[in-house]
């Protein structure tokens, strides 16, 4: 497979059209066979359910080249099952998990020329999503749905190393108790846009959302889960029914315990104890871990002891171990790496 002649090292995180996308349609109570197609545009009725009442869910994962030249993805079965959970919560018909993984494989193979080479730091971002497509005007679930997957090559998340970021405690809430915070739905992002634009305007990189009910506990940011490291090297992550179960965060907690022999805790994390942690990081597919150097709560600054220059030592070890597993330098737990070709 001849690679496209792209400037892999200098790409940003933006959409670039690739050759093929996967499409399946749900109609009359069942999914059709699905196929790879060429057309990147979608034609739908002006009254489509997704346009009126935002009935849509999505996933995000990446394909990349390992040192020995294989194209692989990381734990796509977890994206498949999470999308089933998301769909059910929005009264959408789940796309079968085995078919999801198979469709990811098909669309990556069809766009193999866009999978960045090993060592470039770039990856092929994979975006599965699903939405109500038939006309819906009275408020109810759509009857017809489309499931799609497109891919787009994206650059290294951190150009020139991961610098710690500064975040602020948001005055806005992300997720209501018993709401939709635990599913990956576009609606959670639509309502976070004002909060992130406000944070950026005030000079911060990200928002820390607290629990909406009491505003005393740490939840997550708009698109990444938190991990904290205590001064005695325990890895702590907030437990909450209103955070999105990040696959990266779950993998990091496993690596902390089973590869690095660290104590791990998933529990309530009160904002009041954040000042006592040694390190803080944000976990998500895009960056794996972004180190946090400073947390600002209405002018009051918490400066993590790990500082503003580099990742803390435990965060760095977690990052190196997980990315080592992903790239094939370190043996992966059974089933984590799906070889595509
Ligand atoms: C996607 C997402 C994450 C990160 O999840 P990964 O599976 O690690 O990519 C975290 N928080 C929110 C709100 C998300 O939508």
């Amino acid at each position: 497979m001849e690679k496209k002649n792209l400037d892999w090292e200098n790409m940003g995180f933006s959409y670039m059209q690739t050759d093929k996308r996967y499409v399946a349609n749900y109609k009359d109570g069942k999914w059709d066979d699905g196929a790879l197609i060429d057309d990147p545009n979608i034609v739908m009725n002006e009254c489509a359910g997704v346009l009126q009442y935002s009935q849509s869910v999505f996933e995000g994962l990446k394909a990349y080249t390992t040192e020995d030249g294989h194209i692989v993805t990381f734990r796509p079965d977890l994206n498949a099952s999470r999308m089933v959970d998301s769909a059910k919560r929005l009264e959408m018909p789940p796309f079968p998990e085995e078919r999801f993984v198979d469709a990811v494989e098909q669309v990556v193979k069809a766009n193999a020329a866009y999978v960045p080479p090993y060592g470039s730091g770039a990856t092929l971002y994979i975006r599965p999503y699903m939405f109500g497509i038939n006309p819906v005007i009275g408020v109810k679930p759509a009857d017809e749905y489309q499931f799609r997957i497109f891919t787009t090559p994206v650059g290294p998340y951190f150009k020139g190393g991961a610098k710690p970021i500064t975040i602020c405690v948001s005055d806005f809430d992300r997720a209501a108790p018993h709401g939709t915070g635990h599913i990956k739905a576009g609606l959670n992002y639509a309502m976070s846009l004002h909060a992130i634009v406000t944070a950026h305007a005030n000079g911060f990189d990200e928002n820390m959302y607290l629990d909406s009910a009491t505003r005393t506990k740490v939840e997550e940011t708009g698109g990444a889960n938190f991990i904290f490291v205590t001064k005695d090297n325990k890895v702590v992550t907030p437990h909450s029914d209103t955070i999105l179960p990040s696959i990266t965060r779950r993998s990091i907690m496993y690596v902390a315990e089973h590869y690095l022999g660290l104590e791990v805790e998933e529990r309530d994390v009160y904002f009041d104890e954040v000042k006592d942690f040694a390190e803080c990081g944000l976990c998500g597919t895009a960056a794996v871990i972004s180190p946090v150097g400073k947390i600002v709560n209405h002018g009051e600054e918490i400066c993590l002891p790990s500082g503003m220059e580099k990742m803390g030592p435990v965060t760095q070890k977690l990052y190196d171990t997980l990315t080592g597993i992903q790239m094939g330098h370190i043996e992966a737990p059974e089933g984590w790496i799906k070889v595509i070709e």
Side-chain angles (χ1 to χ4, degrees):
M1 167 67 68
E2 181 141 3
K3 293 284 175 194
K4 300 282 170 181
N5 185 20
L6 299 173
D7 186 5
W8 307 108
E9 273 85 6
N10 295 301
M11 287 183 184
F13 197 93
S14 56
Y15 172 75
M16 177 191 297
Q17 191 181 312
T18 55
D19 294 343
K20 300 281 181 187
R21 61 277 305 126
Y22 179 89
V23 182
N25 287 292
Y26 182 90
K27 196 175 175 170
D28 300 328
K30 57 180 189 307
W31 288 102
D32 69 11
D33 290 342
L36 293 169
I37 64 161
D38 294 326
D39 189 356
N41 297 305
I42 301 170
V43 176
M44 66 177 94
N45 186 270
E46 61 191 352
C47 195
V50 62
L51 299 179
Q52 305 312 323
Y53 303 124
S54 298
Q55 205 185 7
S56 85
V57 296
F58 69 101
E59 274 301 325
L61 66 162
K62 48 198 192 182
Y64 51 93
T65 309
T66 56
E67 191 166 15
D68 58 3
H70 288 296
I71 294 176
V72 306
T73 57
F74 183 70
R75 311 188 76 180
D77 53 316
L78 296 187
N79 296 98
S81 67
R82 192 168 66 187
M83 198 168 183
V84 167
D85 296 340
S86 299
K88 285 181 176 161
R89 178 63 177 77
L90 294 193
E91 290 294 336
M92 304 166 85
F95 193 71
E97 291 178 41
E98 334 69 69
R99 286 197 57 193
F100 178 106
V101 174
D102 175 63
V104 165
E105 182 165 348
Q106 285 187 43
V107 78
V108 171
K109 267 193 184 148
N111 294 296
Y114 294 90
V115 180
Y118 173 76
S120 64
T123 58
L124 185 72
Y125 186 73
I126 306 166
R127 169 52 60 87
Y129 59 115
M130 197 175 123
F131 50 94
I133 197 167
N134 69 295
V136 176
I137 192 73
V139 178
K140 65 177 173 60
D143 302 308
E144 295 173 14
Y145 294 85
Q146 190 163 94
F147 171 87
R148 293 178 81 101
I149 306 178
F150 70 79
T151 59
T152 188
V154 294
Y157 198 82
F158 299 118
K159 295 200 175 77
K163 281 277 179 204
I165 59 172
T166 300
I167 66 176
C168 64
V169 175
S170 183
D171 287 329
F172 301 99
D173 291 329
R174 191 191 85 88
H178 316 293
T180 55
H182 61 302
I183 63 164
K184 216 165 173 75
L187 53 89
N188 290 331
Y189 280 76
M191 60 105 229
S192 75
L193 296 176
H194 179 61
I196 192 63
V197 169
T198 304
H200 288 164
N202 291 330
F204 301 109
D205 297 301
E206 264 297 345
N207 279 309
M208 170 185 272
Y209 290 104
L210 302 179
D211 74 295
S212 307
T214 70
R215 299 191 65 85
T216 59
K217 289 179 270 186
V218 176
E219 294 253 294
E220 61 171 321
T221 69
N225 285 181
F226 279 106
I227 52 159
F228 296 97
V229 181
T230 64
K231 287 180 176 142
D232 57 357
N233 289 348
K234 248 185 236 157
V235 183
V236 179
T237 194
H239 174 82
S240 162
D241 294 338
T242 51
I243 69 175
L244 193 283
S246 157
I247 294 164
T248 314
R249 186 258 301 161
R250 285 182 270 165
S251 304
I252 285 167
M253 295 306 278
Y254 184 92
V255 162
E257 186 174 4
H258 298 277
Y259 281 65
L260 302 179
L262 299 172
E263 241 181 276
V264 297
E265 286 177 353
E266 186 173 349
R267 59 165 171 84
D268 286 345
V269 174
Y270 287 88
F271 183 74
D272 281 349
E273 62 181 306
V274 169
K275 63 179 187 334
D276 301 323
F277 288 124
E279 303 176 31
C280 173
L282 304 180
C283 314
T285 293
V288 183
I289 308 179
S290 317
V292 175
K294 195 191 282 186
I295 302 168
V296 181
N297 182 22
H298 300 99
E300 191 186 316
E301 294 191 351
I302 297 173
C303 297
L304 278 299
S306 48
M308 295 303 291
E309 285 308 309
K310 53 180 177 25
M311 283 193 189
V314 175
T315 307
Q316 185 74 53
K317 254 189 233 162
L318 290 166
Y319 179 86
D320 291 345
T321 310
L322 184 57
T323 53
I325 289 169
Q326 291 180 330
M327 285 301 163
H329 310 145
I330 299 173
E331 192 174 346
E334 176 89 36
W336 278 25
I337 305 294
K338 166 126 180 106
V339 178
I340 293 193
E341 63 176 45

